[in-house]
Amino acid sequence: MLIRTRRGWELPESAATPEGVFRDRRRLLRNLAAGSIAAALPLAACSPGEEDSADAAAPAPALAPAPRNPAYTIERALTPKDVAGTYNNFYEYGSSKDIWQEAQRLQVRPWEIVIDGLVEREFTIGIDDLLARVELEERVYRHRCVEAWSMTVAWSGFPMRSLVEMAAPLASAKYVRMETFADREMAPGQRQFWYPWPYVEGVTIAEATNELSFLVTGAYGETLPKQHGAPLRAAFPWKYGFKHGKSLVRISFVEEQPLNFWQELQGREYGFWANVHPGVPHPRWSQDSERVLGTGERVATQLFNGYTEFVADLYRGMEDQPIWF
Ligand SMILES: Nc1nc2c(c(=O)[nH]1)N[C@H]1C(S)=C(S)[C@@H](COP(=O)(O)O)O[C@H]1N2
Ligand SMILES: [Mo]
């Protein structure tokens, strides 16, 4: 695999870049500096007995809008909010794309996330406590579904790396496993017994700590709509969309490669890696182009969905492995 890299800041100014970016830049840099201090806090705050006092002292979470990080804007136009929010994959609410109304059954408070497995600190944290301990930012990311449609979304959230640092994985931990809620009352789709609920996804620790890996809590400057996987979903923009587990309740550090939902259902078509490659077709369709939601235009699919510069190093020496499905 010969990969020419170009850093994000070499990209031309784009339709997706708002005028406010550079005005917000100083604020962002200030927040990022503050974040590096804040990121150290949970280590102490999560030790036994200190939880309550830390929570009481924490400021109310600044949900959205978060300042846009200018390192993650792209040349494509943003997909309109209403388009992205009415064409979803969320099988817990049905297998069609128009589940956004059905998804309003999702109850997002109270919401706890269990961090467990091969870590120095197992802990359970409420979503609002988690939000108070991270620095939120906005990133414009491409999203490429394995079904060959794509969109461009302004997600807000925080780097997955922050959460990995809070958990402090042991050397034996090789993968991060992400699990969606299981509740058949709240999600009628989970009564469809032939699916392997709950929805599970996984990445390697190296992938989880890559700068692009993002835990999403908002979209388009607002709190994350339920149909997008509120209150916490993942984004790995160089991978096919099915890797982006929604409405996460458990993040585990494990030694074995997790078997994901789609792999378990149809292992000949969906694998663990799912890195976007226009030249590696799905067994039933080509991946060389994609339909852009909203405009309907077809555009060429890019290697690693256009994120080669950020992720190529993760896969050096793995060219012979099936990292494309
Ligand atoms: N829990 C859960 N997560 C999921 C899915 C799902 O059905 N259930 N679908 C995946 C797929 S295939 C895609 S393309 C994205 C879609 O995200 P969006 O609806 O927010 O655009 O969510 C992913 N995460
Ligand atoms: Mo998808």
Side-chain angles (χ1 to χ4, degrees), residues 89 143-147 149 240-242 262:
N89 271 334
H143 176 101
R144 173 58 158 81
C145 177
V146 73
E147 298 163 334
W149 54 265
Y240 291 116
F242 68 86
W262 287 104

Side-chain angles (χ1 to χ4, degrees), residues 15-305:
T17 308
E19 288 170 23
V21 160
F22 294 102
R23 222 185 19 246
D24 285 345
R25 210 192 155 141
R26 289 173 90 180
R27 186 167 145 235
L28 171 78
L29 294 174
R30 222 172 358 179
N31 285 344
L32 292 180
S36 55
I37 300 163
L41 283 176
L43 304 183
C46 292
S47 58
E50 288 178 49
E51 193 88 31
D52 291 344
S53 55
D55 289 348
L63 270 184
R68 183 171 293 178
N69 187 331
Y72 310 102
T73 53
I74 63 172
E75 75 288 358
R76 286 187 194 170
L78 275 183
T79 300
K81 177 174 83 173
D82 296 346
V83 171
T86 55
Y87 189 89
N88 301 96
N89 271 334
F90 201 172
Y91 275 58
E92 284 80 348
Y93 293 97
S95 53
S96 72
K97 295 291 182 280
D98 59 347
I99 53 73
W100 69 273
Q101 283 160 309
E102 189 70 2
Q104 304 314 308
R105 291 167 176 256
L106 175 60
Q107 297 302 312
V108 296
R109 293 293 186 287
W111 192 276
E112 294 201 319
I113 300 134
V114 175
I115 311 295
D116 67 358
L118 303 169
V119 293
E120 271 176 36
R121 286 175 290 274
E122 290 194 323
F123 60 94
T124 299
I125 189 166
I127 183 69
D128 294 311
D129 291 340
L130 181 60
L131 288 169
R133 288 170 194 187
V134 292
E135 208 61 54
L136 297 179
E137 58 180 277
E138 183 179 74
R139 298 181 175 193
V140 175
Y141 272 177
R142 296 185 189 88
H143 176 101
R144 173 58 158 81
C145 177
V146 73
E147 298 163 334
W149 54 265
S150 70
M151 59 183 179
T152 304
V153 187
W155 298 124
S156 39
F158 58 95
M160 192 169 198
R161 190 189 342 221
S162 307
L163 191 131
V164 174
E165 283 168 4
M166 285 182 207
L170 305 175
S172 52
K174 300 285 180 267
Y175 298 92
V176 182
R177 178 185 183 279
M178 289 152 276
E179 189 178 301
T180 298
F181 70 90
D183 184 332
R184 291 204 242 170
E185 290 301 309
M186 199 161 75
Q190 292 186 335
R191 294 180 198 154
Q192 299 192 298
F193 60 84
W194 54 93
Y195 290 114
W197 309 110
Y199 198 93
V200 165
E201 260 305 338
V203 292
T204 64
I205 302 254
E207 290 176 329
T209 53
N210 180 274
E211 67 176 290
L212 290 179
S213 297
F214 205 49
L215 287 172
V216 173
T217 59
Y220 299 96
E222 293 167 8
T223 300
L224 194 62
K226 294 178 178 182
Q227 63 270 29
H228 283 305
L232 187 73
R233 68 84 70 73
F236 308 104
W238 72 99
K239 290 179 177 286
Y240 291 116
F242 68 86
K243 299 297 294 179
H244 304 206
K246 291 181 166 182
S247 305
L248 301 176
V249 294
R250 187 171 169 205
I251 298 177
S252 308
F253 293 78
V254 298
E255 197 166 350
E256 301 289 318
Q257 191 176 94
L259 186 65
N260 67 48
F261 180 89
W262 287 104
Q263 215 180 348
E264 193 168 346
L265 200 61
Q266 185 51 278
R268 275 171 307 185
E269 300 190 357
Y270 306 99
F272 170 78
W273 297 97
N275 294 307
V276 175
H277 194 317
V280 178
H282 181 278
R284 291 183 280 130
W285 59 83
S286 163
Q287 295 292 22
D288 68 359
S289 70
E290 61 206 51
R291 178 174 56 89
V292 178
L293 290 193
T295 71
E297 98 197 91
R298 278 211 93 81
V299 299
T301 290
Q302 302 178 62
L303 182 65
F304 288 117
N305 202 23

